[in-house]
Amino acid sequence: MQKTNDIESIINVVKSCDDTVLSTNRLDSFPEARTIMNALNAETVNLNLHFITDRDSPKMAQLNRDAKCCLYYFNSETRYAVRLFGEMRVVDDMGEKQKYWRDSYREFGYTGADDANLTLLEFVPKSYKFYVGDEMKAGLV
């Protein structure tokens, strides 16, 4: 990673990835990981990240029970990886939902920012971990 501060380095990795892996805790307490689109974070300037999902998806049931989660970003070209630990919250504000709405979401069956099934999530970071060579960098956000 470049010689910038840790948060800047993390943001650079986040912005470079089309997808990320979201890990949650299933209702039976086992961990579960899945790939989610990172498109809403391509221009992010901080680590409060945004994602969309279906209201009735299994991840929503898991996050409603336990909002703690992990995002794992990996850029296969640079081989940089970052783990972000935090909590996911539902954004109910219609202005925010409209801000993050993309017409391309229609291909997933959504009709607009006001679609009752469209759920906007915001990741609220608490800590991070990544490596530069064999040196582990970890800290609070």
Side-chain angles (χ1 to χ4, degrees):
M1 296 204 169
Q2 301 173 16
K3 292 188 176 192
T4 58
N5 71 44
D6 288 355
I7 301 300
E8 263 184 73
S9 295
I10 293 167
I11 289 171
N12 289 337
V13 172
V14 167
K15 289 166 56 170
S16 75
C17 295
D18 292 333
D19 301 299
T20 187
V21 175
L22 168 65
S23 296
T24 57
N25 294 302
R26 292 187 334 195
L27 300 181
D28 62 3
S29 298
F30 282 95
E32 182 171 6
R34 85 277 286 148
T35 302
I36 58 173
M37 293 185 314
N38 191 48
L40 296 179
N41 303 305
E43 302 299 324
T44 191
V45 295
N46 61 49
L47 293 177
N48 284 60
L49 305 171
H50 293 85
F51 306 93
I52 62 161
T53 192
D54 289 349
R55 176 191 65 219
D56 297 327
S57 73
K59 76 174 92 41
M60 284 307 303
Q62 294 165 7
L63 290 167
N64 286 332
R65 183 176 157 272
D66 182 356
K68 292 177 184 164
C69 60
C70 175
L71 295 174
Y72 178 73
Y73 284 91
F74 177 72
N75 182 311
S76 61
E77 292 176 17
T78 63
R79 309 296 294 172
Y80 293 153
V82 172
R83 281 173 279 178
L84 297 172
F85 305 93
E87 295 185 9
M88 201 70 80
R89 70 174 192 88
V90 174
V91 177
D92 290 322
D93 179 80
M94 185 52 66
E96 282 292 297
K97 288 179 85 171
Q98 288 173 335
K99 174 182 170 184
Y100 288 99
W101 169 256
R102 306 290 184 268
D103 283 336
S104 61
Y105 298 158
R106 292 184 193 283
E107 70 183 75
F108 302 111
Y110 301 117
T111 58
D114 59 349
D115 188 313
N117 198 35
L118 176 71
T119 303
L120 177 64
L121 297 172
E122 179 181 23
F123 176 76
V124 180
K126 304 291 183 193
S127 63
Y128 63 86
K129 185 186 294 185
F130 66 92
Y131 288 87
V132 177
D134 61 355
E135 177 189 0
M136 182 182 74
K137 300 213 175 225
L140 300 176
V141 177

